Amino acid sequence: MAADSGWPTGVGRRIYDTLDSTNAEAARLAPELAGPTWILAREQTAARGRRGRPWQNPAGNFAATLVSRPDEPPERLALRSFVAALALRDAFVAVTGRPGSFALKWPNDVLLNGGKVAGILLETLTGGGTPWALAVGVGVNLRMAPDRAEVEPGAVAPVSLMSETGACLTPEEFLDQLAPAYAMWESRLTTYGFAPVREAWLQNAARLGETVTARTGRDSWEGRFETIDDSGALILVTARGRQAIPAAEIHF
């Protein structure tokens, strides 16, 4: 489903020339925001990916964070990674017209022609041990992809939207597509629960039914990617039986 280009009602937008990171700005702004707000930076000086890894953000690429205060338990907040992935796919299809070129890599990447074009970073902002705000960070290689030597060994090679499809967008133009797509999938989640989000995500999942390797800092599983469960955990059929893996990185 393509994204509607109209900005979603009740959602704010702040655009900066330079920030340390949009997730960091989300943490600073969260206490004063009246509602969900997108924070976009044309340049980031201290961008981060998963597990604190540096995130390369060349000029012209997309870096934004949606900060909100959903009144939900942490396990429910984590489902926004699937909401964000579907919204990204919708935005990409809207600007390229190429639905078959994009796939969703569990748990939080979007692939274009098999290469990584976008990543998602969720962070909960806590006070007194209780989550009180959620930051959904999104990075997209709009114009340039990091050099392959800059990514960790075994990771999917990065690609850019422009080099793979010829689409040339500013970060602001891409946000105009992403924000309404995210609002639509968020509405589905809050209205109907995770089931329709899960179904749509699985329809676009990379390597579903194929053998993959899931790794954490301590453990590794190899098996057939069967599905994701109602909590978003990866379900692998391994030599040791069916395994539910709540968090890991998968390798093809």
Side-chain angles (χ1 to χ4, degrees):
M1 182 180 297
D4 180 0
S5 60
W7 189 261
T9 302
V11 177
R13 168 169 41 186
R14 299 195 182 197
I15 297 175
Y16 300 82
D17 285 330
T18 303
L19 284 175
D20 49 357
S21 87
T22 56
N23 270 29
E25 182 69 3
R28 291 188 288 264
L29 286 179
E32 66 184 66
L33 295 176
T37 301
W38 280 98
I39 297 164
L40 182 143
R42 298 186 180 98
E43 179 188 26
Q44 290 188 114
T45 59
R48 292 174 290 110
R50 292 187 70 215
R51 305 187 184 188
R53 297 186 183 117
W55 174 270
Q56 302 300 320
N57 187 46
N61 280 358
F62 180 86
T65 296
L66 175 65
V67 59
S68 61
R69 291 198 291 266
D71 184 17
E72 298 178 355
E75 62 272 14
R76 178 84 173 181
L77 296 179
L79 299 178
R80 267 62 182 194
S81 63
F82 300 97
V83 169
L86 287 166
L88 277 165
R89 182 185 180 278
D90 281 359
F92 285 134
V93 172
V95 301
T96 66
R98 301 186 183 190
S101 298
F102 299 93
L104 308 180
K105 179 177 180 285
W106 187 89
N108 53 12
D109 293 337
V110 181
L111 306 183
L112 167 56
N113 298 332
K116 179 176 176 177
V117 69
I120 301 158
L121 176 65
L122 264 62
E123 293 184 329
T124 52
L125 311 176
T126 61
T130 302
W132 60 276
L134 175 69
V136 181
V138 177
V140 179
N141 300 327
L142 285 181
R143 299 290 183 92
M144 297 176 60
D147 189 274
R148 181 62 191 265
E150 297 176 0
V151 302
E152 61 269 21
V156 174
V159 298
S160 76
L161 186 70
M162 187 165 69
S163 66
E164 294 291 316
T165 71
C168 183
L169 288 92
T170 66
E172 292 90 339
E173 289 170 333
F174 189 75
L175 182 60
D176 284 341
Q177 295 293 333
L178 179 61
Y182 188 99
M184 185 271 288
W185 284 108
E186 171 73 13
S187 176
R188 288 195 181 181
L189 177 68
T190 56
T191 303
Y192 303 109
F194 186 49
V197 174
R198 174 179 175 272
E199 179 181 359
W201 190 95
L202 285 168
Q203 288 173 354
N204 296 284
R207 304 297 179 95
L208 186 66
E210 299 182 22
T211 298
V212 301
T213 301
R215 296 181 183 138
T216 65
R218 297 176 299 174
D219 299 304
S220 178
W221 300 266
E222 182 177 294
R224 178 172 56 85
F225 177 11
E226 183 181 67
T227 189
I228 59 173
D229 68 13
D230 292 341
S231 70
L234 177 72
I235 304 298
L236 288 188
V237 179
T238 75
R240 293 175 280 176
R242 202 164 178 262
Q243 302 282 339
I245 303 166
E249 295 186 14
I250 65 171
H251 300 263
F252 302 148

